């Protein structure tokens, strides 16, 4: 393999190697299944440190271009990007939603989703969770075999184990955040973090800004608190900032809730400029921000630093979790809380529980310390980008041309926008009869209405994706054609005067 390095270039050597190998793959010089040179041989031929080659291969793996096989080396993936349309077509109407007081039941949405997950043969497009790492079982056993098992006996600190807080702080520094261990609170997943933050910042009758659509769990939390919701519509670039400022000025909300990276449910990621403008508006109107970054680490390409990274006035509370990257069952999330709010939220957490599970915290800590986490994320990104591309190809092949969808650059979900006259609930029931579970638009909008759409989890096996999308696409085409036939056959009554 001939790789020319510009040793005087400002571009790091490992990125030069990555770019050259990437070009060789895209040009066809390296084909699907080809084995890359061993780390040692390539390091010797290029006269660089082996760590440089490891870094280059790790970035290629994160890009989804190659994958590592235990004991065998690195191999070129079959991604089929050439046949995948990566241009999003998402362009919804820009309608602000201010619902009347109601109730969005988290239970009614979550429990059927979990029941579907447990049914053999069910293709569940509604549930997004990572494929668990195979090596975490060994890590858990090692933790439980520790001679000093008494570490699990006493109550832990409510803010979390110091070692884990240090590790998370270091991880977040690499994402651009200036975080110290004493800024962190370890929570029982990010769901508890959402509840703690909302209970702290929001009182009954307060206005709260959310994106429309948004994560359905936050709607339930806000409604249970008696808050009043303003749903600002999403554009292809993120929350409509012009409308946001209008309602910041007119309603003076107490909080802005936003998912800036791999938004749930649309999968969109906002630009750095969008994040800066949103923060500037929050500062202008003195409105705190709750930034939910549950899908951090699942990126196929570089993403902008979180809003929290550019927050100089302690307006942003930041949430993350290991549920979307390791295992949901560990229930380990975290909050980065501005200093003046920290103790009050800790005191509130003590009313929920004394601390997050010591065993779960220790397993996550050990996994981070061992270096397994980074390798696991690389594998996960590779699997997810292949699954995303398989879904995009299936959508192009099987869905009607009237359907529009987002093209996420990471995360677990994409969003399909459908024509207004599509009977989405009928299609959902018909799909369920064929063992395909869908989550539709109603649960993601503050008023349980919104435009017809569906959130599709692409973190499934590729054969499941192709089979499930073919079934749903056939149902969509049938109902769209039926709608067209009704329109054509409709004849208005003639009245004589």
């Amino acid at each position: 393999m001939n790789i020319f390095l510009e040793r005087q270039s400002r571009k790091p050597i490992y990125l030069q190697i990555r770019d050259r190998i990437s070009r060789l793959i895209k040009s066809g010089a390296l084909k699907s299944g080809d084995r890359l040179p061993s780390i040692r041989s390539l390091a010797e031929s290029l006269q660089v440190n082996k760590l440089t080659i490891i870094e280059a291969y790790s970035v290629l793996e994160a890009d989804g271009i190659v994958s590592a096989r235990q004991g065998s080396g690195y191999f070129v993936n079959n991604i089929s990007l050439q046949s995948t349309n990566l241009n999003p077509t998402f362009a919804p109407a820009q309608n602000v939603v201010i619902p009347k007081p109601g109730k969005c039941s988290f239970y009614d949405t979550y429990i059927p989703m979990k029941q579907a997950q447990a049914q053999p043969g069910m293709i569940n497009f509604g549930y997004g969770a990572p494929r668990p790492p195979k090596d975490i079982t060994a890590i858990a056993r090692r933790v439980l075999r520790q001679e000093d098992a008494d570490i699990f006996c006493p109550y832990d600190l409510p803010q979390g184990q110091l070692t884990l807080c240090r590790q998370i702080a270091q991880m977040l520094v690499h994402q651009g955040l200036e975080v110290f261990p004493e800024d962190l609170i370890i929570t029982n997943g990010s769901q508890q973090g959402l509840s703690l933050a909302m209970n702290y910042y929001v009182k009954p009758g307060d206005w709260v800004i959310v994106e429309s659509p948004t994560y359905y769990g936050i709607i339930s939390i806000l409604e249970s608190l008696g808050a009043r919701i303003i749903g600002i519509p999403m554009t292809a670039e993120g929350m409509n900032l012009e409308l946001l400022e209008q309602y910041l000025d007119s309603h003076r909300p107490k909080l802005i809730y936003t998912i800036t990276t791999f938004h749930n449910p649309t999968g969109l990621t906002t630009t750095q400029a969008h994040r800066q403008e949103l923060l500037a508006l929050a500062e202008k109107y003195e409105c705190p921000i709750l930034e939910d970054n549950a899908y951090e680490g699942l990126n196929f390409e570089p993403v902008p630093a979180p809003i929290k990274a550019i927050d100089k006035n302690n307006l942003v509370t930041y949430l993350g979790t290991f549920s979307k990257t390791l295992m949901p069952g560990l229930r380990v999330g975290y909050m980065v809380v501005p200093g003046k709010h920290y103790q009050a939220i800790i005191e509130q957490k003590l009313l929920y529980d004394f601390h997050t599970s010591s065993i779960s915290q220790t397993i996550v800590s050990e996994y981070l310390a061992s270096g397994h986490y980074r390798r696991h994320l690389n594998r996960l990104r590779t699997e997810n980008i292949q699954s995303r591309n398989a879904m995009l190809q299936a959508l192009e092949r099987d869905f009607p041309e009237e359907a529009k969808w987002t093209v996420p650059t990471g995360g677990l979900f994409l969003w399909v926008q459908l024509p207004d006259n599509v009977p989405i609930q009928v299609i959902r029931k018909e799909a369920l009869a064929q063992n395909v579970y869908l989550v539709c638009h109603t649960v993601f909008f503050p008023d349980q209405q919104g435009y017809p759409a569906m959130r599709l989890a692409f973190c499934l096996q590729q054969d499941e994706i192709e089979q499930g999308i073919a079934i749903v696409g056939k149902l969509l085409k049938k109902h769209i054609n039926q709608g067209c036939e009704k329109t054509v056959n409709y004849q208005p009554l003639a009245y004589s005067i």
Side-chain angles (χ1 to χ4, degrees):
M1 182 185 294
N2 295 321
I3 296 180
F4 174 73
L5 298 178
E6 297 181 38
R7 302 198 183 260
Q8 305 305 317
S9 171
R10 297 178 64 182
K11 190 169 194 176
I13 294 294
Y14 79 94
L15 289 179
Q16 293 184 46
I17 297 170
R18 186 275 304 266
D19 291 347
R20 177 59 178 160
I21 294 175
S22 180
R23 284 196 294 271
L24 289 171
I25 293 171
K26 291 175 181 176
S27 69
L30 286 172
K31 296 181 173 55
S32 171
D34 284 354
R35 185 178 182 273
L36 298 184
S38 71
I39 292 169
R40 172 185 281 183
S41 65
L42 189 56
E44 289 176 352
S45 68
L46 296 179
Q47 296 183 346
V48 299
N49 192 292
K50 287 191 292 185
L51 292 175
T52 303
I53 305 301
I54 291 171
E55 191 72 23
Y57 282 2
S58 295
V59 176
L60 284 165
E61 190 175 23
D63 292 341
I65 297 173
V66 306
S67 58
R69 298 179 192 171
Q70 187 70 32
S72 301
Y74 287 82
F75 294 80
V76 178
N77 287 327
N78 178 19
I79 300 178
S80 303
L81 275 172
Q82 293 81 1
S83 60
T84 304
N85 181 5
L86 298 179
N87 297 314
T89 52
F90 176 68
Q94 296 297 288
N95 300 318
V96 174
V97 177
I98 302 181
K100 295 178 180 178
K103 187 176 182 182
C104 173
S105 173
F106 186 83
Y107 179 92
D108 290 344
T109 302
Y110 181 77
I111 296 302
M113 195 185 305
K114 288 302 300 174
Q115 290 171 338
Q117 187 72 8
Q119 291 185 31
M122 181 68 70
I123 299 173
N124 190 350
F125 285 129
Y127 184 66
R131 300 179 180 99
K134 296 176 181 177
D135 50 7
I136 200 165
T137 305
I139 295 288
R141 288 198 187 104
R142 190 160 75 208
V143 165
L144 293 172
R145 279 200 306 265
Q146 289 182 13
E147 294 180 7
D148 188 12
D150 322 346
I151 60 172
F152 303 129
C153 294
Y155 287 122
D156 237 325
L157 293 170
Q159 63 266 41
Q161 295 175 356
L162 181 58
T163 300
L164 181 56
C165 288
R166 285 173 177 160
Q167 291 168 316
I168 294 172
Q170 185 177 14
M171 182 178 74
L172 293 177
V173 165
H174 289 300
Q175 296 180 27
L177 281 74
E178 187 177 347
V179 176
F180 300 96
E182 52 269 26
D183 299 324
L184 282 157
I185 299 173
I186 306 298
T187 60
N188 280 292
S190 59
Q191 183 73 14
Q192 185 186 54
L194 291 172
S195 293
L196 287 171
M198 289 299 178
N199 274 277
Y200 176 73
Y201 286 110
V202 180
K203 302 294 182 288
D206 285 348
W207 290 104
V208 176
I209 296 278
V210 303
E211 289 143 339
S212 180
T214 190
Y215 168 51
Y216 57 83
I218 207 68
I219 298 174
S220 293
I221 291 172
L222 289 171
E223 289 184 343
S224 70
L225 290 173
R228 295 182 290 177
I229 301 172
I230 303 170
I232 302 295
M234 293 285 285
T235 71
E237 287 72 43
M239 187 190 299
N240 186 317
L241 295 178
E242 183 179 341
L243 290 172
L244 171 63
E245 179 164 23
Q246 179 182 328
Y247 282 85
L248 283 171
D249 183 51
S250 62
H251 287 65
R252 299 289 167 164
K254 298 296 184 182
L255 188 69
I256 299 169
Y257 171 73
T258 182
I259 308 170
T260 51
T261 304
F262 315 132
H263 176 262
N264 181 5
T266 65
L268 296 171
T269 296
T270 61
T271 63
Q272 187 66 43
H274 188 281
R275 296 173 191 215
Q276 290 171 335
E277 190 173 347
L278 195 157
L279 179 60
L281 289 173
E283 289 173 341
K284 178 180 177 181
Y285 293 95
E286 299 180 336
C287 183
I289 295 173
L290 179 59
E291 184 178 18
D292 185 355
N293 202 354
Y295 303 94
E296 67 187 19
L298 297 179
N299 51 302
F300 308 147
E301 57 188 57
V303 294
I307 297 176
K308 183 62 183 173
I310 54 175
D311 173 29
K312 305 302 181 186
N313 297 312
N314 282 332
L315 272 180
V316 182
T317 299
Y318 181 87
L319 297 177
T321 182
F322 292 98
S323 293
K324 305 301 182 185
T325 54
L326 277 178
M327 295 173 66
L330 286 172
R331 307 310 303 139
V332 177
Y334 48 91
M335 308 173 71
V336 180
V337 182
K340 63 181 181 180
H341 308 299
Y342 186 87
Q343 183 173 337
I345 291 182
I346 287 288
E347 290 176 359
Q348 189 181 91
K349 187 178 186 298
L350 277 168
L351 301 178
Y352 282 78
D353 55 29
F354 289 108
H355 60 85
T356 301
S357 163
S358 298
I359 293 177
S360 289
Q361 289 189 72
T362 307
I363 290 171
V364 172
S365 179
E366 184 71 19
Y367 203 77
L368 292 174
S370 65
H372 287 68
Y373 187 60
R374 181 177 177 181
R375 292 191 290 273
H376 166 64
L377 283 182
N378 287 338
R379 286 193 296 270
L380 205 56
R381 292 178 187 125
T382 299
E383 293 170 355
N384 285 352
I385 196 172
Q386 291 176 328
S387 296
R388 184 209 64 174
N389 290 343
M391 179 169 282
L392 291 174
Q393 291 167 12
L395 290 171
E396 291 170 16
R397 182 177 60 246
D398 297 321
F399 267 36
E401 61 182 11
E402 293 88 346
K404 312 295 181 185
W405 52 80
T406 59
V407 180
T409 56
L412 300 173
F413 305 110
L414 61 78
W415 181 251
V416 180
Q417 179 186 349
L418 299 168
D420 289 340
N421 60 345
V422 169
I424 187 69
Q425 296 300 341
V426 173
I427 291 170
R428 182 175 180 272
K429 290 178 181 177
E430 292 178 351
L432 188 59
Q434 298 183 58
N435 279 345
V436 178
Y437 188 86
L438 299 172
V439 178
C440 299
H441 65 283
T442 51
V443 300
F444 300 104
F445 285 95
D447 62 353
Q448 299 190 35
Q449 296 298 320
Y451 53 83
M454 59 180 72
R455 186 190 73 177
L456 298 177
F458 54 76
C459 49
L460 282 69
Q461 298 298 329
Q462 293 186 30
D463 57 342
E464 289 184 298
I465 290 171
E466 292 173 359
Q467 181 184 348
I469 293 297
I471 290 170
V472 178
K474 188 175 181 180
L475 293 172
L476 284 170
K477 288 176 180 177
K478 179 186 76 171
H479 284 282
I480 287 174
N481 290 336
Q482 286 177 352
C484 291
E485 289 171 6
K486 289 177 183 178
T487 303
V488 170
N489 294 330
Y490 171 73
Q491 304 223 350
L493 296 173
Y495 293 93
S496 56
I497 300 177

